[in-house]
Every structure is written in C-alpha cells, then in structure tokens.
Amino acid sequence: MLLLSLVLAALLSFSMGALPHEDFLQCLSLRSNDSSTISSVIYTRNNPSYSTVLESTIRNLRFNSTNTPKPLVIVTPSRTSHFQATISCSRKHGLQIRTRSGGHDYEGLSYVAKVPFVVVDLVNFRSVDVDVENRVAWVQAGAILGEVYYRIAEKSRTLSFAGGVFYSIGVGGYISGGGFGLLFRKYGTGGDNVIDAQFIDVNGRILDRKSMGEDLFWAIRGGGGGSFGIVLAWKLKLVPVPATVTVFSVSRTLEQNATQLILRWQEIAHQLPDEMNPDVSMFSVNSTQDERKTILASFSSLFLGTIDELLPIMQQRFPELGLSRQDCSEMSWIESILYFNQLQNQPLEILLNRTFRNPLGGQYYKIKSDYVKEPISETALNGLFSRLSDEEASSAIIIFMAYGGIMDRIPEEATPFPHRAGNLYKIYYNVNWQEQDDVNSQKYIDWSRRVYNYMTPFVSKSPREAYANYRDLDLGSNNVGITSYTQASVWGRKYFKNNFDRLVQVKTKIDPENFFKHEQSIPPLH
Ligand code: FDA
C-alpha cells in the first residue's frame, strides 16, 4: 500500500498540476502488476519529455502542427503488464488507444485521433532474437526493419527477412498491413513469412498462434494495423539470400527514349526472374540540353546473384535498356539495404538508428497507390508525364513496382493482402514538400488527387485496388462514432478485396465492442 501511494505521488508530481485524466493515471498504477515501473513509462502533457517522445517517430510532418490533436498520455510499455493496464484503463475511462511501432503510417493514424486518446508506443518493445540454426527470429513489434536486418546479418550474411526497403519502418505496422520489399517476388510479403505471433487482445489476454486460432492469426498478417488488438512480437521465417547480390540503376530522359523503355518494361518486368524486384521511378528534372523540363526514368533492381549471372538475362529479356557491367555493383544483401536507402559507404550500425531520413525528399507528404493489370498506352503515359511536369510536382515521384514471381502463385486468400496473380505492377504516387511550403500543402494534396483521377481509366477497376500500408484517407473512413459496414467496405474492398468480409468476421469475434478503432479500422458487425 505504501509503495502504491509512493508511485501515485510520483505520477502526480511529475505531471505537475491539474490533471483531467488523473483517474486514468491512478487506474494505470492500480492495474499494473508492477506499479513501481509503470511510472517511468508514462508521459503526460506536463512531462518535459512528452513532446520529444511524441515527435520521436512522427514521420510525416503534416501531422506535427500545433493544430494536430495530441494524445492525453503516451505510454511506452516495457512489460506486458503495462499493455494490459493501459488497455483496461483506457476502456474504463473511455479513451481510445493508438498503437505506434515505427510511426510511418502515411496518414498519422498511430499518433493522431479526433477523440481523447492514448498513444501506446512500442519503442521499449524491440528485442530481436535470431536463431540461425532453425532459420527463425522472434522480433518484438517495436523493432524497426533496420534492427531486424542488422541482427540477422550479425549472425549470418546469407539469411534475411522479406522486409521493406526503408530501414526505419516499424515491424509492427509493416507486417500488419502486408509488407512489400526487395524480396517479395521471391518470398512473398512480410505477412507471408510470419509463423507465429504474440498478441494482446481487448481483454488483456496474451495469445500466441495456437491460442488465438488460425482466423485471427490470418487477419493480423495483412488486415491492417490497429483493428484487432496489439501485436507484441512476430516469429519470422528467415529466408536464404546469396553471399553476393547485384544492384543496378539506369536512368534515361524522355529525349533518351525513356517512354519506349517504360512501355517495354511494362510488358516484361513481371516476367523477369523471381530473384529480381524491377521498378522504374519517374520524376521531373531540368534537361541538360536546353534547361527545359523533362522526365527522368530510373530503372533499377536488386538481383539475387552476380553481375555475370544478371547480364545475359537482361540482354535476352530487356536488351533495349542496354544494361552494362558499369551500371551494376556487387555487394552483400545487407549492403544492398544501405544502397537502396542511399546510405552507401555508411557503417551498418546506421540501420540501428531510429532517426528518420526520408531518401525521397520532403518530410511532408501525401501518398496514393494503384494496381495495373494491362499495360498502359503511350498516350496515357504522356498524360502522366505532363502532370509530373506541373509546378506542384517538382519533388513528386511516381514508381512502378513490378509484380509477378511468387506473388502470382500465392492464393489471394492466403493472407488478407489480396493483390496477387494478374497484377503487372503497383503504382506508388508520392508528392512531398518542405516545411516552408506547408502553408500550401493543400495544393500538393490536390495535385495528387488530380493525378489519381487522371489515372482512373488505366488501372484496376471494381474495385480500384490500393495497398493498405499506403494508407490513403481519400479512399474513405469510418465515422468517429458508429462504424458502418457499408461505408467501410468502400475502402475495405480496395485494400482487401473479398478478404474484407473475413476480416469483419474476425473483428466481430475478437473485439465486438470495437474498442480498437481508427479512421480505417475493420468494423465489427453490429
Ligand atoms: P505505425 O507505427 O505508424 O503503424 C501503422 C499502423 O499500424 C497504425 O494503424 C498503427 O496503429 C498500427 N500498428 C503499429 N504497430 C502495431 C502493433 N504492434 N500492433 C497492432 N497495430 C499496430 N511499406 C512497404 O510495404 N514497403 C516499403 O518499402 C515501404 N516503404 C515506406 C517508406 C516510408 C518512408 C514510409 C513512410 C512508409 C513506407 N511503407 C512501406 C509503408 C509502411 O509499411 C506502413 O506505413 C507501415 O504501416 C508502417 O509501420 P510502422 O510500424 O512504421 O507505422
């Protein structure tokens, strides 16, 4: 009792002064089995570290303005009992929980809500335990992908995980939304490579694959973060990579035949070997010849093999690109992660650094995605290029990412991520801007909506598919109060196609009162 009083006193004193959520703090301390430690992982608005902790992983600065709603409290659990106490007390006091692992949510849903809320930040839940012999790793959900790659490489340079390209992405959100990266044409999505999980539900029960059952285990591997409960850890399957891999990048302007190369790329990229992840990035640049604007198309890929193995394949399948030995570099797989993050020649330890550096430019951005089933015409491409030359698009980038490979062979219903056979490539639309332009952010967002509208006839239809991890609230959102199945199915079918209904069934079973919710969470059936 004495201990409890001391903890309460500490909690109240470090949050100094009037506390509208005092009852919530008292509840946390009472419900936590180890009340002596919970005080050190609670940040109220009066705590001097509150802003630092909140901003530590706000990756999209659009959601870091003075007008952005802020959490009443941030909890950074270091024990499972801290999660249990936070869930229980948030329910009791009518607060919503936003779970944050790496903070990369494109719409900021892991740290912004329109109702009173608590952020549960997994920064202290990030151990990575690699078992090379059995080719598995237990990874806590707050780890970033860079930590996972680094810890695996510490023990083996010929094993890896099917993770994403950018090393600062959190494992929690990445796998929850599917997970697409350098190895996905060879080994599938992140979610395809999870073999067990540790999960906490709305009642505070800690579940593993066996105790949660196959339906919930299916749902959390791609059904979108923040809908079902909190993932504490994933057991990942590690996959083989060769000791030497090759990377290449070849850039051509419109004057250097880029349009014809992209048209050809559309025909063949999805049929290239599974060992590649071909993509083509397009952006506007000043032409070196006459200072006029042109489009630069950059064709790049990882290849799981040597230059000598790659060149004949490219000469046979895509001779028009003219790939030469000088365009290619050999390295280890872990070094290729540095390469694709534009961190060449940096020590590997940089992958442990959670400080974010967006290699694509500005820290304010709006993202959209599309799937393409039929090659788009030259006229359609020219229309896209003309929009990329707009003033608002000076830092925009559009990337075509080839599908095919194992993605054609994994059934659509294997995990909630449904974008499998029949897709030639995915389009990633990124418009980004700098701080000084934030007053004009609407004009950039409008540009991205215009481009998306323009692309309507050329991309997937009924539904127009989109990638759940490239969250886009333009596709629709739940009401703040009562959620509607009909309303949610509009964006739900774009992200999950027919898997949406199974996700709703799982949600109805695991969280019927809809405690875990946000603008695009899966609704239960009422
Ligand atoms: P964040 O912490 O913001 O969480 C995202 C969502 O998941 C939120 O709804 C959150 O509540 C929920 N969530 C987080 N942790 C959870 C947990 N432990 N349990 C339950 N729910 C949880 N994607 C990709 O597939 N391949 C790529 O290469 C890239 N590249 C990329 C680059 C950059 C710069 C950005 C900003 C984003 C990407 N993405 C990506 C998209 C990325 O995969 C997506 O935003 C993930 O959801 C991010 O996961 P975080 O944990 O970082 O985000």
Side-chain angles (χ1 to χ4, degrees):
M1 197 58 202
L2 178 64
L3 178 63
L4 187 61
S5 313
L6 286 172
V7 171
L8 270 179
L11 276 175
L12 296 179
S13 67
F14 87 67
S15 40
M16 298 179 305
L19 283 174
H21 41 285
E22 196 173 314
D23 293 345
F24 173 71
L25 296 175
Q26 285 183 354
C27 175
L28 280 184
S29 154
L30 285 165
R31 295 274 163 102
S32 171
N33 289 341
D34 39 23
S35 47
S36 56
T37 61
I38 197 161
S39 61
S40 62
V41 297
I42 296 171
Y43 300 86
T44 66
R45 287 181 186 169
N46 293 327
N47 187 292
S49 301
Y50 171 90
S51 297
T52 315
V53 174
L54 179 63
E55 288 165 15
S56 61
T57 55
I58 293 187
R59 307 303 193 185
N60 190 344
L61 298 186
R62 264 170 73 202
F63 305 109
N64 195 25
S65 74
T66 42
N67 300 329
T68 310
K70 306 279 191 295
L72 287 174
V73 178
I74 307 167
V75 184
T76 58
S78 55
R79 304 179 179 197
T80 48
S81 62
H82 298 162
F83 289 96
Q84 288 163 319
T86 311
I87 293 172
S88 160
C89 297
S90 300
R91 285 180 74 184
K92 184 164 177 231
H93 293 279
L95 298 174
Q96 211 172 84
I97 283 185
R98 293 298 164 108
T99 308
R100 183 165 77 172
S101 288
H104 287 66
D105 192 293
Y106 280 125
E107 298 281 8
L109 299 192
S110 54
Y111 51 86
V112 181
K114 293 189 186 114
V115 294
F117 70 111
V118 174
V119 165
V120 172
D121 189 314
L122 277 82
V123 60
N124 292 323
F125 242 68
R126 59 173 211 262
S127 70
V128 178
D129 187 5
V130 178
D131 175 353
V132 168
E133 205 179 321
N134 293 305
R135 296 188 168 193
V136 293
W138 266 109
V139 175
Q140 287 184 322
I144 58 172
L145 288 170
E147 289 172 304
V148 178
Y149 298 144
Y150 182 89
R151 297 292 169 214
I152 297 172
E154 253 183 346
K155 294 197 171 168
S156 165
R157 293 289 170 115
T158 53
L159 282 179
S160 191
F161 167 64
V165 182
F166 292 101
Y167 74 96
S168 56
I169 300 170
V171 180
Y174 174 76
I175 294 174
S176 294
F180 160 103
L182 296 173
L183 300 176
F184 93 107
R185 294 181 73 255
K186 175 79 177 165
Y187 296 116
T189 64
D192 295 333
N193 287 277
V194 170
I195 46 185
D196 204 340
Q198 197 189 27
F199 176 86
I200 182 161
D201 76 359
V202 64
N203 296 311
R205 291 182 305 162
I206 310 281
L207 305 171
D208 64 6
R209 177 174 185 167
K210 194 153 175 252
S211 54
M212 77 176 76
E214 286 303 308
D215 276 345
L216 180 56
F217 183 63
W218 172 85
I220 59 175
R221 289 172 300 137
S227 281
F228 304 100
I230 300 178
V231 176
L232 301 179
W234 305 105
K235 186 177 185 182
L236 308 179
K237 184 161 89 184
L238 303 187
V239 293
V241 287
T244 303
V245 304
T246 301
V247 299
F248 72 82
S249 176
V250 175
S251 297
R252 299 281 184 268
T253 60
L254 295 184
E255 294 71 27
Q256 295 166 324
N257 209 22
T259 310
Q260 294 309 316
L261 289 174
I262 296 169
L263 291 172
R264 178 80 187 126
W265 182 95
Q266 289 189 101
E267 304 277 347
I268 54 107
H270 65 289
Q271 294 166 345
L272 286 169
D274 298 5
E275 287 71 24
M276 296 179 72
N277 76 317
D279 63 33
V280 50
S281 312
M282 291 153 250
F283 41 90
S284 151
V285 291
N286 284 332
S287 160
T288 44
Q289 285 154 16
D290 53 12
E291 284 296 304
R292 276 190 317 160
K293 275 194 173 169
T294 184
I295 300 297
L296 189 73
S298 180
F299 299 82
S300 69
S301 184
L302 170 80
F303 173 63
L304 296 173
T306 60
I307 297 178
D308 286 339
E309 290 164 321
L310 173 67
L311 286 178
I313 296 171
M314 293 299 282
Q315 255 132 36
Q316 194 199 359
R317 310 267 192 105
F318 196 9
E320 300 85 350
L321 187 64
L323 184 73
S324 72
R325 189 168 288 276
Q326 290 69 38
D327 301 317
C328 305
S329 307
E330 288 182 343
M331 56 190 70
S332 65
W333 195 84
I334 186 84
E335 285 164 345
S336 78
I337 294 295
L338 294 182
Y339 173 88
F340 285 106
N341 280 276
Q342 296 175 20
L343 295 171
Q344 297 100 306
N345 305 321
Q346 299 279 342
L348 290 182
E349 283 66 31
I350 198 159
L351 298 177
L352 303 174
N353 184 344
R354 295 173 84 87
T355 314
F356 178 61
R357 196 191 126 273
N358 187 353
L360 294 182
Q363 306 290 298
Y364 297 74
Y365 40 83
K366 174 74 190 161
I367 307 297
K368 290 181 171 293
S369 61
D370 259 319
Y371 282 89
V372 177
K373 318 257 178 194
E374 303 283 340
I376 67 179
S377 68
E378 183 168 352
T379 318
L381 260 189
N382 285 336
L384 186 59
F385 296 156
S386 119
R387 283 155 183 83
L388 260 180
S389 308
D390 290 344
E391 184 234 332
E392 304 90 313
S394 58
S395 325
I397 178 162
I398 291 179
I399 310 182
F400 293 178
M401 303 174 178
Y403 265 54
I406 199 175
M407 296 302 279
D408 281 350
R409 305 188 289 274
I410 299 178
E412 265 185 30
E413 58 287 350
T415 70
F417 179 98
H419 320 288
R420 307 283 186 170
N423 289 297
L424 301 183
Y425 57 93
K426 177 177 71 183
I427 307 182
Y428 168 82
Y429 308 90
N430 174 323
V431 61
N432 62 80
W433 57 99
Q434 303 290 347
E435 187 172 9
Q436 63 272 19
D437 291 332
D438 194 33
V439 282
N440 297 317
S441 59
Q442 197 55 46
K443 93 176 174 191
Y444 297 100
I445 295 170
D446 289 345
W447 177 86
S448 110
R449 291 176 181 154
R450 282 202 305 278
V451 173
Y452 190 74
N453 285 341
Y454 166 75
M455 291 299 285
T456 310
F458 316 122
V459 296
S460 61
K461 294 171 189 64
S462 308
R464 181 172 182 177
E465 295 173 38
Y467 176 30
N469 254 347
Y470 293 173
R471 195 188 298 289
D472 177 6
L473 289 183
D474 291 350
L475 301 180
S477 62
N478 291 317
N479 292 333
V480 175
I482 293 176
T483 52
S484 134
Y485 168 86
T486 315
Q487 203 177 333
S489 39
V490 175
W491 48 262
R493 293 210 190 282
K494 291 174 190 288
Y495 287 155
F496 309 112
K497 294 172 75 179
N498 291 334
N499 291 333
F500 178 68
D501 284 320
R502 186 170 170 200
L503 288 170
V504 171
Q505 282 166 21
V506 176
K507 171 73 178 180
T508 309
K509 227 165 138 185
I510 188 76
D511 182 21
E513 302 298 322
N514 204 15
F515 172 69
F516 286 104
K517 62 170 175 259
H518 57 65
E519 286 79 345
Q520 282 191 342
S521 56
I522 303 291
L525 282 177
H526 291 290

